[in-house]
Amino acid sequence: MAKVLATLFSRKYCGLCEEAKEALLRVQKRVSQNHSLNLLFRKADSLKVPFEIEEIDIDAPKFRKTWMKYTYDVPVIHLNGKEFMMHGVDEKIMEQAVKVIIMSKKS
């Protein structure tokens, strides 16, 4: 089972970024619930959900290159380091992609 890291590139005072973060958290919750149920039926040792979210403020000085790339496109979401969505989150597409990644590889 593979782990998924969703990286949200955002900035302060960005309404779309806040909406994207909330959408990612909803997807994470749904994936977590489904994952936990699947593991319970398989009697797994751990219920840890392999879907994490990190947020990066592109306006921070250490992310200058990221700011140059995404300043007009936030929010931007990467899945496992690959650009996946811009300008918002389509929850259905995000949830499907996360589930495919989780089930595609064994860790």
Side-chain angles (χ1 to χ4, degrees):
M1 187 170 319
K3 293 184 180 183
V4 178
L5 175 62
T7 305
L8 171 62
F9 295 91
S10 65
R11 59 173 26 124
K12 294 178 184 174
Y13 313 113
C14 169
L16 288 176
C17 299
E18 286 301 316
E19 289 176 19
K21 183 177 180 179
E22 291 169 7
L24 285 172
L25 290 170
R26 286 191 297 269
V27 171
Q28 183 184 45
K29 184 176 180 179
R30 286 194 301 271
V31 169
S32 170
Q33 290 169 343
N34 291 337
H35 179 69
S36 296
L37 286 174
N38 288 338
L39 288 176
L40 282 173
F41 288 115
R42 293 181 189 159
K43 299 183 180 180
D45 297 330
S46 171
L47 295 178
K48 184 170 174 28
V49 180
F51 177 29
E52 297 179 18
I53 300 169
E54 76 172 334
E55 186 172 7
I56 293 177
D57 179 357
I58 66 165
D59 293 325
K62 67 181 180 179
F63 295 111
R64 181 74 180 150
K65 285 184 180 181
T66 306
W67 179 88
M68 291 172 63
K69 184 174 183 180
Y70 293 138
T71 194
Y72 298 111
D73 293 312
V74 291
V76 176
I77 295 91
H78 285 197
L79 283 182
N80 289 352
K82 295 181 182 174
E83 194 174 283
F84 187 68
M85 289 184 175
M86 289 182 159
H87 309 134
V89 174
D90 182 314
E91 291 185 41
K92 288 182 181 181
I93 292 171
M94 178 63 69
E95 186 171 348
Q96 288 174 336
V98 168
K99 287 177 179 179
V100 166
I101 293 169
I102 288 171
M103 300 312 288
S104 68
K105 300 177 188 172
K106 297 185 178 184
S107 58

